[in-house]
Every structure is written in C-alpha cells, then in structure tokens.
Amino acid sequence: LTAWVPDQIESMPAASRASLENTLTQVVVKNGLGGSSFNTRFIVSANVTVATKDILPGPPPMHAYNLDVTLYIGDGFEGTVFSSQTVSVKGVGTNETKAYNAALKNIKAGDPSLQAFVEKGKQKIIQYYKDNCDLIIKKANSIADQSDYEQAIFILASIPSACEECYVKAMNAIKPIYKKKIDKDCKDKLQKATGIWNASQDMAAAEEAGAMLASVDPDASCIAEVKALANKIAAKVKQIDDREWKYIVKDQQQESERIAAIRDIGVAYGNGPKSNVTYKSLW
C-alpha cells in the first residue's frame, strides 16, 4: 500500500501532511502491508475532521484538538473504498500545528481496530486480482505488443505474491515479454559497442564497449555475436597492452538473477517519469 495524503483535508495545517503520511505508513507497515512506489494503484489515505478546538489557559496558553480521523484503503485510480475505520484522538500543543500533530501521534498502529481495517483491505485487494487477473495479463500483453516491455513487466510484477493464483499466471506471462526485452537490449548494445570499437580500437574504446557487452543478458538471442565481439576486443587488448580482458560475457543467468532483473525493471519503471499518477480521494 502507498500512503497518500490529499491536498483537500479541511483545516489541516500544511506542516501536518508529512506527519499524517508517516502515521499511515506506520499503520500498514505494522500490519504487514507496507509498500513502496513499486505498486502505486492501492493506497491508504485519511480524512480528518476537527471535532473540537480549544484554547487552554496558560501560561503559556495551549491549543487542544479533538480529531476524528477516518482511514481508508482502496483503489486510488478508481476511487473505490475497500476498507475504512474512524479513530478519535486528542492532542495538545503550544500552537495549532503542534496540537494537531500531537493528536495524530496518538493513532496507534497496533490498535486492534486498525489491524482489522488493514486485513479487510488486504482481502479486498486479493479479490480484485482474482476478479481481474486475466484482464490485467491481457492488458500487459497488449502493451508488450507495442514494444513497451518495461511497462508490461511493471504491470505484471506489481501483482502481489499473496494473490497466489494470479501471481503464478503473471510470472509465466512475464517470461516471453522479458525475453523480447533482453533480445532488443542485446541488439541495441551490440550495435553501440560495435560502433564504439570500430571508431577507435584503443583502450578507451575497449573499456567502454566491454562494459556494455558485459551487461548483456546471457539468455539473449544475439549472445553469440556479443561473445564474438568480446573475444575480438580481448585479443586486441592483449596485443596493444599485454593485459587480460577484464570484461566477461556471462554464459548463463541464474533463476534468482533473472527474477531480480525482472523486478529491477519493474521498480525502475515505477520510479521513472512515467510513474506520475493522479489519485481520487476515497471519500
């Protein structure tokens, strides 16, 4: 779950936005649904109503807030609520912002009512993937057909492992998309490395081209051509500088490395400039 605090919470001091977002993050992390920007569709958010606001006599005079904070879990893209829970909290401080933040700090992540709130949201998210799994995979394949492999992998890799059946389908659907991506990357890198090497054929060119070739996935279709160019460069390096070639083109990708590479693609896409999203308030 991604914690999101909208702009339009009435009477909330601007400086309290970060405090509320931190509180929301603590609630979901404490209850096993802490997330990142990797999967941005599902959010935990909140609306705050000021029940009472008083000035207590000093010195110094103190501000006292009674807040009703309603937490929401839902689909931030569609604005659909999956779960909600209201907690009432009090806070006192030397100014309005401090009093407001003091109240927010009294939202306890371990509160049983909030545990139930998060669990209900989790079950609704799992149900969402059960109901929409085939449609999600179809969309990802359609995007991959347009050669946008990163977005397609991002969509499929965002499916939580807790949604076991859909997760397995998604991982199987990722494999051919990932293969197309590494094949394309291989051709691009081979072309660039060949151009760099042919232009100079010196140690600087060997370093630059070698680093590029060594980053090619060994399961790519043009790996034989990559190795041939690497061997050619290695022989020339030995001739001009009498040193061993330090860039090694791998022969095999381990399954764990492949899974990590797929996830890295999804994370990179999720954190990139295309990741800007507009959320709908859940109330």
Side-chain angles (χ1 to χ4, degrees), residues 33-221:
L33 279 186
S36 66
S37 58
F38 185 47
N39 188 333
T40 55
R41 182 177 195 104
F42 301 108
I43 61 174
V44 56
S45 191
N47 194 20
V48 183
T49 301
V50 178
T52 62
K53 181 172 65 173
D54 300 300
I55 303 293
L56 305 179
M62 302 291 282
H63 296 260
Y65 271 100
N66 285 315
L67 305 179
D68 291 329
V69 184
T70 303
L71 283 67
Y72 300 87
I73 290 173
D75 184 335
F77 293 176
E78 299 296 333
T80 305
V81 176
F82 292 161
S83 180
S84 64
Q85 179 66 36
T86 300
V87 293
S88 298
V89 288
K90 300 177 181 180
V92 178
T94 54
N95 58 46
E96 291 186 352
T97 299
K98 288 182 178 181
Y100 202 101
N101 289 347
L104 293 177
K105 288 179 181 178
N106 284 322
I107 299 174
K108 304 302 181 185
D111 184 331
S113 68
L114 295 184
Q115 293 176 353
F117 154 76
V118 173
E119 181 60 27
K120 181 179 178 181
K122 174 184 175 180
Q123 295 306 319
K124 289 291 185 71
I125 291 171
I126 291 174
Q127 190 61 47
Y128 168 88
Y129 282 110
K130 286 182 178 179
D131 294 342
N132 295 280
C133 188
D134 291 342
L135 187 62
I136 293 168
I137 293 173
K138 183 178 179 181
K139 177 183 177 181
N141 284 328
S142 176
I143 291 171
D145 289 341
Q146 301 169 40
S147 299
D148 191 349
Y149 306 123
E150 291 84 357
Q151 185 182 2
I153 290 172
F154 168 76
I155 290 170
L156 295 174
S158 296
I159 295 174
S161 57
C163 311
E164 186 174 355
E165 184 178 347
C166 188
Y167 177 80
V168 171
K169 287 183 179 180
M171 292 304 101
N172 288 332
I174 279 180
K175 292 176 182 177
I177 298 173
Y178 177 69
K179 183 65 166 64
K180 290 177 182 178
K181 174 177 168 47
I182 63 174
D183 286 350
K184 180 179 182 298
D185 286 349
C186 184
K187 291 178 181 178
D188 291 345
K189 290 176 179 178
L190 178 62
Q191 183 180 16
K192 290 178 182 177
T194 300
I196 291 167
W197 177 244
N198 289 342
S200 300
Q201 296 194 18
D202 56 16
M203 286 305 301
E207 294 281 338
E208 187 176 356
M212 193 168 293
L213 295 175
S215 68
V216 172
D217 191 301
D219 293 330
S221 57

